Amino acid sequence: MEAVVKSSLRTGKAPVAVFFNDIRPGRSESQLRFRLIHFWEAKNIAKGGAFLGLELLLIDQQGTVMRGFISPTRAQTYRRHLIAGALYALQNFFATKSKEIYRVADPSLTISFSNNSVLSPLDVDNDYGTGSFPADRFRFHSHGDFEANVGLRGDLYDVVGHLRLVNGQALMTRPLLDEADIASMGHILVHLQTKDEPVMKLYLWDAAAREFFKKFTASVDTPTVLMVTTVNPKNLGGNLALSSMSSSRVFLDKEIQPTTDYFSWFSANPDLAERVNADEVTKIETMTIGQIFGYIKREDAKEASFYCVATIDDVVCDRAWYYIACSGCQTKATKGPSSLMCAKCGKSNVSGVAKYLAKISVYDNNDHAQFVLLGNAGTELTGKPAAELVDSYFEANQDVGAGHYMPAPQVLIETVGQTYKFKLKVSDLNLTGKIQALTVTKIVSADAMPPLPNSSEFIVIVEDEAPLPSAAVSDASVSNALDGTGGTSDKDEAQVVKRPKHD
């Protein structure tokens, strides 16, 4: 490719080199010299992922980082010549005001390629050795900083810390990652801790998830340190959650200087190097269905309670929705020759009372599951005790036989389509694989389904309105410039429930 520097051909003057801090708004015929740190595609998710252009992260000899932008019409001209880490000179550009949301650099201006821009690789054998340009520059935030900026959609900062969980798996043994599952879900969830600060959830989406998977699985030793750039702090279920963006990059262990420094600190503090135990993540917190089942699969998992926001999509009607309990101790009563018996109380003649044991099908943003409404949880959901509903039914249907049981009541069916925050118990039966249904111990509240963090970026680019490009890129080589209430089981259900027996 032949270099075309239109301004110098017009004026006969050599280009004037300026630093980023010297840039002023508007067109410029000056020359910029910089290292290309990173580049990525900007897309409008609201319009089906429409391509908005290429975004660039640039650093000059003074260590100033600026955002660059190449419009969609010019992207094809330049894309094949862009190499992350390479040194370039840019002649002729347009300085525009930077967007206010999801900012990746401090300066208020963006370097936009215009219709007569010329990009050339710097001659590293001449005056511009690679060492004279910084390799990168980062902007780190702590847990408190991220918490203070939740939902603001402002500057995107970087985070570095040590891994506590990867997709719900502790690092006591190497976590197993399934590439097909990651591709299907579109993300990896890690729990990250920065020194002795609180543990944070970090969602790695799309390219960041793929990069994490590639590096994590290729590592000989299990990685312990993770750094992700330009993350977006969000509120998910009342808790801080970080989300990667399309601009995010992923680094592990000793890959770059910040991770190397953190790795050294981490190794020097063995008291913090202890791997997470189940107690650390089983405190009652809001988790998705997928995360709960991921926890159940862990070797160190134990009985625990979680909150989960889900929508009811069906009442399972292939079984009784209630059981008959001993009116004294509330455990399941069993049918004797002529009366109800309670093994726990040791009595052979007890009064029976109907209690909820209803199975419902639910879903959240990504997964389906079956929940079992046990005891008072059903009353909290419908507003009616099971005993009241059963008694009313049999009073109105006195001609039914002794083997008859009541179908699911209308007040329970009417909950279909409603979203609630459930308190769930993971029991030994779940952990041993005997049942998969999760036991609901409390209906916390009616709720709305929280959106999962995602990588959507609605970017409005202020681009100069120059004619479509006849842009030029120099042909010089650039090759050298370079994520107790227990459970119930099918065997531990009341038999098909008949009329409750009363004294």
Side-chain angles (χ1 to χ4, degrees):
M1 214 162 21
E2 205 175 298
V4 179
V5 186
K6 295 185 177 180
S7 59
S8 64
L9 289 176
R10 278 200 306 267
T11 64
K13 296 180 181 179
V16 177
V18 297
F19 294 112
F20 288 166
N21 286 331
D22 300 323
I23 296 174
R24 297 294 179 264
R27 294 186 182 276
S28 176
E29 295 183 352
S30 300
Q31 184 183 81
L32 299 175
R33 297 162 183 169
F34 53 80
R35 185 187 300 278
L36 174 61
I37 297 174
H38 182 48
F39 66 96
W40 61 96
E41 291 187 351
K43 295 184 178 181
N44 190 333
I45 306 302
K47 295 185 178 180
F51 178 55
L52 297 177
L54 293 177
E55 295 205 60
L56 302 87
L57 196 62
L58 316 171
I59 188 167
D60 69 4
Q61 285 177 286
Q62 293 183 331
T64 303
V65 175
M66 286 193 74
R67 172 182 172 267
F69 178 73
I70 304 175
S71 67
T73 55
R74 298 165 188 153
Q76 187 174 1
T77 302
Y78 293 100
R79 188 198 298 263
R80 65 183 183 275
H81 303 285
L82 299 179
I83 300 176
L87 302 179
Y88 296 94
L90 177 65
Q91 179 77 25
N92 305 323
F93 58 91
F94 195 95
T96 61
K97 184 179 179 181
S98 294
K99 58 184 181 178
E100 295 297 325
I101 62 172
Y102 304 137
R103 287 160 44 103
V104 296
D106 293 325
S108 60
L109 296 177
T110 290
I111 300 166
S112 294
F113 284 45
S114 58
N115 66 314
N116 63 343
S117 291
V118 179
L119 183 71
S120 305
L122 283 181
D123 185 355
V124 296
D125 295 325
N126 246 342
D127 299 329
Y128 310 105
T130 56
S132 64
F133 288 80
D136 212 329
R137 188 174 179 181
F138 302 104
R139 308 187 300 169
F140 291 106
H141 259 190
S142 65
H143 180 279
D145 296 327
F146 284 122
E147 207 162 41
N149 287 276
V150 164
L152 297 183
R153 302 196 308 165
D155 282 41
L156 302 175
Y157 290 92
D158 312 320
V159 63
V160 62
H162 52 282
L163 291 165
R164 302 299 264 173
L165 298 173
V166 177
N167 272 357
Q169 304 170 72
L171 275 68
M172 290 178 293
T173 57
R174 190 184 185 99
L176 298 177
L177 299 178
D178 186 287
E179 190 170 12
D181 287 347
I182 294 170
S184 174
M185 295 287 290
H187 73 272
I188 294 173
L189 171 61
V190 303
H191 285 65
L192 191 72
Q193 184 174 15
T194 296
K195 296 192 174 179
D196 58 351
E197 294 183 339
V199 176
M200 297 178 285
K201 293 179 181 178
L202 170 56
Y203 289 84
L204 301 174
W205 293 91
D206 303 326
R210 293 191 295 271
E211 187 176 3
F212 178 88
F213 173 82
K214 181 179 178 181
K215 292 181 177 181
F216 192 90
T217 55
S219 178
V220 176
D221 298 319
T222 302
T224 55
V225 174
L226 170 66
M227 173 180 158
V228 182
T229 66
T230 61
V231 295
N232 186 25
K234 296 190 175 186
N235 185 308
L236 181 62
N239 299 309
L240 170 66
L242 306 180
S243 179
S244 71
M245 305 291 277
S246 58
S247 56
S248 296
R249 292 172 289 154
V250 174
F251 304 99
L252 300 178
D253 283 355
K254 300 180 181 180
E255 192 172 349
I256 57 173
Q257 194 59 51
T259 54
T260 299
D261 293 342
Y262 193 97
F263 189 93
S264 298
W265 173 87
F266 189 55
S267 300
N269 291 269
D271 55 319
L272 290 175
E274 295 178 3
R275 301 295 181 238
V276 68
N277 56 45
D279 291 335
E280 185 169 340
V281 293
T282 57
K283 59 185 179 180
I284 300 180
E285 61 174 314
T286 303
M287 299 183 76
T288 65
I289 292 171
Q291 290 167 353
I292 294 173
F293 282 117
Y295 170 78
I296 290 172
K297 293 176 182 178
R298 288 172 40 194
E299 290 185 3
D300 63 336
K302 62 182 183 180
E303 288 193 346
S305 293
F306 299 99
Y307 294 133
C308 180
V309 178
T311 300
I312 301 172
D313 69 351
D314 195 14
V315 176
V316 180
C317 296
D318 60 355
R319 47 163 285 167
W321 61 272
Y322 61 100
Y323 71 103
I324 302 303
C326 168
S327 60
C329 67
Q330 308 301 307
T331 58
K332 184 182 69 175
T334 57
K335 184 179 179 182
S338 59
S339 63
L340 291 175
M341 302 184 298
C342 178
K344 184 174 181 180
C345 294
K347 296 179 180 178
S348 59
N349 188 1
V350 297
S351 296
V353 59
K355 291 287 184 179
Y356 280 96
L357 188 65
K359 186 178 285 188
I360 56 176
S361 175
V362 301
Y363 65 91
D364 61 11
N365 288 303
N366 291 311
D367 299 284
H368 278 80
Q370 288 193 340
F371 290 174
V372 176
L373 296 168
L374 194 63
N376 292 332
T379 304
E380 293 168 347
L381 181 66
T382 65
K384 297 281 187 179
E388 178 183 329
L389 294 170
V390 172
D391 287 347
S392 296
Y393 175 81
F394 282 111
E395 285 175 7
N397 297 274
Q398 297 186 12
D399 56 338
V400 298
H404 183 78
Y405 68 96
M406 176 185 173
Q410 187 63 28
V411 288
L412 184 57
I413 294 172
E414 287 175 353
T415 63
V416 172
Q418 302 300 310
T419 301
Y420 298 92
K421 186 174 186 178
F422 298 91
K423 182 179 179 182
L424 304 172
K425 176 160 181 145
V426 173
S427 70
D428 281 332
L429 292 170
N430 298 122
L431 299 176
T432 56
K434 292 180 180 179
I435 65 167
Q436 293 207 346
L438 300 171
T439 301
V440 178
T441 59
K442 184 177 179 61
I443 307 297
V444 180
S445 62
D447 212 327
M449 189 69 67
L452 277 175
N454 58 62
S455 55
S456 302
E457 297 171 57
F458 305 99
I459 302 168
V460 178
I461 304 297
V462 181
E463 168 66 347
D464 65 289
E465 302 195 2
L468 293 181
S470 57
V473 183
S474 169
D475 193 29
S477 171
V478 293
S479 61
N480 61 343
L482 305 183
D483 155 70
T485 321
T488 59
S489 71
D490 294 338
K491 295 180 180 179
D492 190 32
E493 295 169 2
Q495 300 297 317
V496 173
V497 184
K498 293 122 180 146
R499 293 174 179 267
K501 178 180 175 64
H502 301 279
D503 287 340

